[in-house]
Amino acid sequence: MTKNLYEKLLPAPRNGGFQMTDYWVWCGSVVQGEDGQFHMFASRWPKHLPMHPGWLVHSEVVRAVAAAPEGPYEFAEVVLPARGAEYWDGRSTHNPHIVKHADKYLLYYMGTTYPFPDVLPGEAYGLDDPRCIVARANKRIGLAIADHVEGPWERLDSPILGVRPGKFDSYLTSNPAPCVHEDGSVLLIYKSRAYKGHTYSDMALGAARADHYRGPYRVLSEEPLFPPADVHLEDPFIWQTENGYAMIAKDMKGNVGGERHGGIQAYSSDGLNWHIAAHPKAYSRLITWNDGTIKQMGNFERPFLLFQEGRPTHLFAATADGEGNFGGRNTWNMVIPIGD
């Protein structure tokens, strides 16, 4: 499948996915619940904030439900709300990735906090705002656990993956991409940045392992999985294969798969040593819709594959209208069926 993922993508349903009128919506991740319904865990934040970097200060993880993978998904509840600045994830939760393992639901996510007031409607806010700067520096990866897809959720009071001074992940950790094995052990691919003076470096991908999903998680390497100057990737998604692991990810520069912010594929026998596929293109921002129209989306990010009966059947992604660089007026989580 992985060698031909791009060629197997079918037209995207116009009515599919998940959108909310008064919110920016991002980061869609889907699981079939014990009720037979399909549950999307997504991020949202109010539109009185700019799309970027509004998510850093007021994102919250929500759940939406549909009868079929394509949707449309209907909002059901807030899953990980703000819970106070004293918690490591107390002000913003983002990047949800839902996994069903045995009789548990595992919700990986990014959380952050900051000791300042909320951004109010009409108030100026941007990248130079202290709330944004502190929230970015406090980004860490966490885990919530539940017996049922509707919760209640046990939120751990500490991150499962912090930062390491002097390493490529000294500034932040985010964008968790877990592969939970049958025995409960986990390979976790994650995004990081390093301190660069008083600011931060480009993004890099790291790998960690845990013998059990509750942790502890151990970083596997002192160096990033790919040299960021040559292979600059974001938004990984991984899964186990007969020969090891496969990954799809966002190609930041376009020098890997030929399209800036398109998707690429990579493979690994051990989860640590990764190689770009011979035919690397995994997906494109140029979308064919089921009404016959073709349009390049402003954004197409946070890819997630839904597996059913052992094979990927749907590709989910956060998308936006407009010309890119988070300049669109609307965002939503879209879905693309995958052919046999």
Side-chain angles (χ1 to χ4, degrees):
M1 184 284 302
T2 52
K3 288 184 179 179
N4 300 299
L5 175 59
Y6 177 60
E7 287 77 13
K8 289 179 179 287
L9 297 180
L10 302 176
R14 277 287 185 188
N15 300 344
F18 174 49
Q19 187 171 12
M20 298 188 75
T21 302
D22 297 324
Y23 290 89
W24 305 108
V25 173
W26 212 244
C27 300
S29 171
V30 175
V31 67
Q32 189 170 19
E34 63 268 26
D35 58 0
Q37 300 281 90
F38 291 87
H39 299 257
M40 178 184 288
F41 290 77
S43 302
R44 75 170 190 181
W45 57 104
K47 278 196 168 180
H48 76 256
L49 290 159
M51 188 274 171
H52 177 69
W55 59 275
L56 269 167
V57 290
H58 290 315
S59 178
E60 57 186 4
V61 172
V62 301
R63 181 174 60 88
V65 184
E70 293 85 354
Y73 287 79
E74 296 291 333
F75 172 79
E77 65 172 340
V78 177
V79 177
L80 301 179
R83 59 172 177 168
E86 66 270 31
Y87 291 95
W88 71 272
D89 62 348
R91 302 300 292 279
S92 179
T93 56
H94 200 65
N95 296 150
H97 185 120
I98 188 69
V99 177
K100 177 73 185 304
H101 172 70
D103 59 349
K104 299 290 185 181
Y105 291 89
L106 310 178
L107 181 57
Y108 290 81
Y109 65 99
M110 181 281 293
T112 189
T113 190
Y114 54 93
F116 304 109
D118 289 346
V119 181
L120 300 177
E123 185 179 357
Y125 167 79
L127 289 168
D128 294 331
D129 192 294
R131 289 165 288 198
C132 177
I133 295 169
V134 175
R136 187 189 296 276
N138 281 332
K139 290 168 63 178
R140 304 289 185 267
I141 291 173
L143 175 65
I145 303 168
D147 294 330
H148 305 284
V149 73
E150 297 179 359
W153 293 91
E154 174 196 358
R155 288 168 71 168
L156 305 186
D157 287 339
S158 298
I160 61 170
L161 194 65
V163 295
R164 301 182 300 159
K167 308 299 183 183
F168 68 88
D169 48 9
S170 62
Y171 188 77
L172 61 80
T173 61
S174 68
N175 297 50
C179 179
V180 182
H181 305 113
E182 188 174 351
D183 64 358
S185 64
V186 183
L187 171 67
L188 180 68
I189 305 300
Y190 63 97
K191 185 182 89 171
S192 67
R193 294 185 190 267
Y195 264 102
K196 190 175 181 181
H198 297 295
T199 181
Y200 50 83
S201 69
D202 284 341
M203 295 175 288
L205 298 185
R209 283 194 183 274
D211 295 332
H212 188 270
Y213 54 77
R214 284 186 175 270
Y217 287 77
R218 308 174 303 277
V219 178
L220 299 178
S221 175
E222 301 304 305
E223 300 296 330
L225 300 183
F226 302 95
D230 302 324
V231 182
H232 192 188
L233 303 179
E234 188 189 21
D235 292 346
F237 175 93
I238 65 167
W239 67 100
Q240 196 166 16
T241 70
E242 293 181 355
N243 300 314
Y245 301 92
M247 174 194 295
I248 57 176
K250 177 184 171 185
D251 186 359
M252 296 298 293
K253 296 180 180 178
N255 63 324
V256 179
E259 179 185 349
R260 181 175 180 270
H261 294 178
I264 63 93
Q265 300 172 108
Y267 302 93
S268 174
S269 61
D270 58 5
L272 180 59
N273 299 288
W274 289 86
H275 308 280
I276 301 298
H279 303 284
K281 190 160 189 152
Y283 58 83
S284 173
R285 289 167 56 203
L286 190 67
I287 301 299
T288 299
W289 297 91
N290 64 354
D291 61 6
T293 59
I294 299 175
K295 181 175 176 58
Q296 179 162 297
M297 307 308 297
N299 296 83
F300 190 92
E301 308 188 10
R302 297 292 298 152
F304 178 92
L305 291 174
L306 174 66
F307 282 76
Q308 297 184 90
E309 298 182 353
R311 78 168 190 91
T313 59
H314 297 82
L315 170 65
F316 293 84
T319 195
D321 54 17
E323 301 301 321
N325 295 321
F326 307 109
R329 300 181 63 182
N330 297 285
T331 66
W332 66 100
N333 286 319
M334 64 175 291
V335 55
I336 303 177
I338 301 171
D340 292 335

